[in-house]
Amino acid sequence: KGRLLFVGHIVDIKGVYELVEACTRMRDIRLRMVGYAEEDVKQRLLTIASKRQDNWLEFTGGLSREKTIQEILSADVLIAPSHIEGFPNVILEAMACGTPIIATRVGGIPEMLDNGSCGVLIEPRSVEAIVAAVESFIHDEPRKTQYATLGKERVNKVYSISSIWNKLTSIWKSV
């Protein structure tokens, strides 16, 4: 089965309701949600998930950094369907782990994913966009490998400590 992973605070603005609804429309997909969820949010997500009969949705709760990285490493795809976002660290972590990414075109995500050359970008708040992206991507091993490789190269080139340090030093010297 395709193993999707969501990492973050499990709240509405992270697109979790659309994500779970999308997963009810697909087969051979498992979704693990890593992060804290209020009980009412979790129950609402489980109600949506019940549209699909098999046991496909798992909540891990909050995990340590090490266990979260293990989750990212074992996922087929990290999915970040946020409605709004800044510069989410989980995107960089997935890139560094070589885990392909599907994420919404919000905040800093398009720049992080080099406007889609390092991951699949979708529109926010769209169940249909999530379904289309996952179905066209989850079982395409060459495409997943390409995005994983390009993402890892980009995070090491653009977002490594040495790269950031060189950029900051250049800015400081120009002032």
Side-chain angles (χ1 to χ4, degrees):
K1 288 190 175 188
R3 294 168 296 158
L4 298 179
L5 178 69
F6 170 90
V7 176
H9 196 159
I10 301 172
V11 293
D12 180 46
I13 63 169
K14 295 291 187 173
V16 295
Y17 296 116
E18 293 90 345
L19 174 57
V20 171
E21 176 63 36
C23 289
T24 66
R25 299 179 187 185
M26 298 179 278
R27 300 292 174 248
D28 298 328
I29 295 295
R30 297 184 55 76
L31 173 62
R32 286 180 62 86
M33 300 187 87
V34 174
Y36 176 76
E38 295 280 343
E39 192 57 34
D40 62 321
V41 172
K42 186 175 177 181
Q43 288 307 312
R44 183 171 169 204
L45 291 170
L46 288 169
T47 299
I48 295 167
S50 69
K51 294 177 185 178
R52 201 172 122 194
Q53 297 305 310
D54 54 330
N55 187 19
W56 60 273
L57 175 61
E58 297 176 66
F59 295 94
T60 67
L63 298 176
S64 69
R65 179 169 166 66
E66 293 78 20
K67 287 184 180 180
T68 300
I69 295 300
Q70 288 174 357
E71 290 284 342
I72 294 170
L73 286 166
S74 67
D76 288 319
V77 174
L78 176 92
I79 187 154
S82 295
H83 301 168
I84 59 172
E85 213 36 277
F87 194 85
N89 285 335
V90 71
I91 299 291
L92 296 179
E93 291 165 342
M95 291 167 76
C97 288
T99 301
I101 300 161
I102 297 172
T104 46
R105 191 182 305 277
V106 296
I109 295 173
E111 180 182 339
M112 296 168 85
L113 296 178
D114 198 21
N115 291 309
S117 71
C118 299
V120 177
L121 290 170
I122 60 174
E123 294 306 313
R125 300 178 187 266
S126 174
V127 172
E128 293 76 19
I130 294 170
V131 171
V134 171
E135 286 184 340
S136 72
F137 186 64
I138 194 73
H139 300 296
D140 187 341
E141 294 303 322
R143 189 170 172 214
K144 286 192 320 190
T145 300
Q146 176 188 9
Y147 280 130
T149 300
L150 291 173
K152 200 168 197 173
E153 288 172 1
R154 180 163 174 81
V155 78
N156 288 322
K157 178 181 176 188
V158 178
Y159 300 108
S160 68
I161 290 174
S162 62
S163 174
I164 298 298
W165 178 256
N166 290 337
K167 289 175 187 172
L168 288 174
T169 303
S170 175
I171 291 168
W172 292 330
K173 287 180 180 179
S174 72
V175 181

